[in-house]
Amino acid sequence: MSTEKTTPADGHSYELTRTLAAPAAQVWRAWTTPDQYAQWAYAAPGSVEMDVRPGGVWKATVVTPDGGRFPLTGSYLEVDENRLLVVGMDVPGKPEPAAMTVELEEREGPHTQIVLRQTCDTAEERDSAEQGSTMLLDSLGAFVTGEAKG
């Protein structure tokens, strides 16, 4: 798995690029199937619900390493199977969801290049979101290559 990081000039956006040793369809299923998502995305078993279509909703309860639980909710803003997922994440106190874009591109091997982008309101929010996204991509990469804990 290769890793690349790019932070655009505005300072409140980030972009993470990875190449995973798995076909795009496998990466897509890991990201859009509740039981698979729960295995790599730090979600409590049974807490993940997904209606993967534009306007469909999702929810998951994230479990932190210290045992804290944080319920997350949102909707799917754009869906193009095996290629593009724009996920809206509800943010308390904000009228619009925070959008995270996940692009998949099939490469030879089979490999998949995944590009994750998000724009945040502040540098602090960006840093926190980027750290969380980096952890997710690390875990996703291990999961799709069979290196994840069982």
Side-chain angles (χ1 to χ4, degrees):
M1 172 175 66
S2 65
T3 302
E4 181 180 325
K5 174 183 165 183
T6 307
T7 301
D10 72 8
H12 299 301
S13 299
Y14 69 91
E15 177 179 294
L16 300 170
T17 303
R18 301 278 176 97
T19 301
L20 306 178
Q26 181 182 351
V27 175
W28 178 266
R29 282 189 307 274
W31 203 284
T32 61
T33 306
D35 62 328
Q36 288 191 34
Y37 184 86
Q39 292 179 54
W40 64 268
Y42 307 99
S47 73
V48 180
E49 296 179 18
M50 299 177 159
D51 180 9
V52 185
R53 61 182 172 84
V57 298
W58 64 269
K59 72 177 188 174
T61 298
V62 173
V63 181
T64 62
D66 64 2
R69 291 176 170 257
F70 296 93
L72 302 175
T73 60
S75 60
Y76 296 99
L77 306 175
E78 293 182 52
V79 177
D80 184 358
E81 188 171 351
N82 299 331
R83 300 182 61 166
L84 175 69
L85 195 62
V86 181
V87 180
M89 296 168 283
D90 296 332
V91 180
K94 294 190 179 182
E96 295 295 319
M100 179 175 65
T101 301
V102 180
E103 294 179 354
L104 305 177
E105 184 178 327
E106 187 92 25
R107 300 287 175 98
E108 286 188 42
H111 289 85
T112 300
Q113 177 176 291
I114 184 169
V115 179
L116 191 148
R117 292 184 188 88
Q118 188 172 1
T119 299
C120 302
D121 291 337
T122 67
E124 294 77 20
E125 287 178 15
R126 180 213 51 225
D127 293 347
S128 178
E130 185 174 13
Q131 180 182 18
S133 294
T134 298
M135 289 174 51
L136 280 176
L137 290 179
D138 289 347
S139 187
L140 172 63
F143 178 76
V144 299
T145 59
E147 298 171 18
K149 58 186 183 302

